[in-house]
Amino acid sequence: MTTTQRRGFNDAITSFWSFAAPAYDQGCLQRWVYRPAQDEVIAQLKERGARAIADIACGTGILADRIQRELQPDEVYGLDMSDGMLAQARKRSDRVRWKSAPAEELPFQDGFLDAVVTTSAFHFFDQPAALAEFHRALAPGGMVAVTTMSPRRTFLPLHALSAGLGAPAHSPTEKEMRALFEAAGFIVAEQHRVRRPVWTPISDVITVGVKPA
């Protein structure tokens, strides 16, 4: 995808989620779709004791707010490109630092962060560019945790949404995620399917990488 195409895709995604922001916080949607992956990310952050954390494509800020309240690190940043999502996020918390920025251009100096996390959004990123940017912004020994939609068969709603927005979304396989992480300079420390009720049609994977010290 060219830079111009990527910019147009990002604009389309931003516009869609600004429109969808009011519905995003519905309890059943959060509980069954988003919370299991967020729980896994919280557990990884707690285990590693990160103090400066950025949630990329933070949406309405539910995960970033949970990180701040439950883990109480020194700094929590929530980044998104959707003004509608960030407006909802700012109502949720005044302790998280909310910023408008894409995953591929983080507003942090080299080595500034201890952890970068992103849930349920990686399929819309320029994946190699985003992981390279996460690596740049992380301190040596820093952690990245990414949850990705990883259906065992084609997930038609995702493909329909991405087609409507003018570009294909890509959900990498577990093997592809390992290759992407390693190409960006990370050591893969953990990878498994997100724990969900057996009846749910959603299937996703968490991959955790560490920037070598």
Side-chain angles (χ1 to χ4, degrees):
M1 186 182 293
T2 67
T3 300
T4 300
Q5 287 174 319
R6 185 74 213 176
R7 188 177 299 113
F9 181 47
N10 285 347
D11 289 345
I13 292 291
T14 300
S15 297
F16 172 81
W17 284 115
S18 291
F19 172 79
Y24 184 79
D25 286 346
Q26 293 297 316
C28 60
L29 180 67
Q30 287 297 324
R31 181 179 180 184
W32 299 117
V33 176
Y34 296 111
R35 187 177 179 97
Q38 294 172 358
D39 287 345
E40 299 251 7
V41 166
I42 292 279
Q44 292 291 332
L45 290 171
K46 185 174 183 180
E47 179 180 334
R48 289 169 171 78
R51 305 309 303 170
I53 303 165
D55 177 19
I56 312 302
C58 66
T60 60
I62 291 174
L63 176 58
D65 178 51
R66 283 188 63 192
I67 291 170
Q68 194 283 320
R69 289 185 293 102
E70 296 178 25
L71 304 182
Q72 298 186 350
D74 296 335
E75 301 283 353
V76 181
Y77 298 87
L79 280 66
D80 206 283
M81 293 197 304
S82 164
D83 291 338
M85 288 290 190
L86 289 173
Q88 297 284 103
R90 290 187 179 100
K91 294 176 184 178
R92 187 180 305 281
S93 174
D94 60 2
R95 296 184 180 182
V96 176
R97 299 189 180 190
W98 308 108
K99 294 178 177 289
S100 177
E104 302 84 1
E105 297 179 29
L106 302 183
F108 304 111
Q109 295 180 347
D110 294 359
F112 180 79
L113 298 169
D114 296 316
V116 173
V117 303
T118 184
T119 60
S120 307
F122 191 71
H123 46 276
F124 288 130
F125 297 168
D126 178 332
Q127 294 163 5
L131 285 171
E133 186 69 347
F134 298 169
H135 188 277
R136 179 196 65 77
L138 281 169
M143 180 199 85
V144 57
V146 179
T147 71
T148 51
M149 298 182 72
S150 184
R152 294 180 172 87
R153 58 185 180 275
T154 300
F155 187 59
L156 293 178
L158 173 61
H159 287 275
L161 172 61
S162 63
L165 293 172
H170 177 57
S171 295
T173 65
E174 293 171 58
K175 183 178 180 180
E176 288 173 334
M177 281 299 290
R178 283 184 170 272
L180 283 165
F181 268 53
E182 290 167 358
F186 291 107
I187 297 170
V188 176
E190 175 77 18
Q191 186 182 63
H192 62 262
R193 289 201 171 264
V194 172
R195 299 169 182 88
R196 293 180 178 274
V198 294
W199 52 262
T200 182
I202 298 169
S203 180
D204 47 355
V205 168
I206 182 169
T207 304
V208 179
V210 176
K211 181 175 179 177

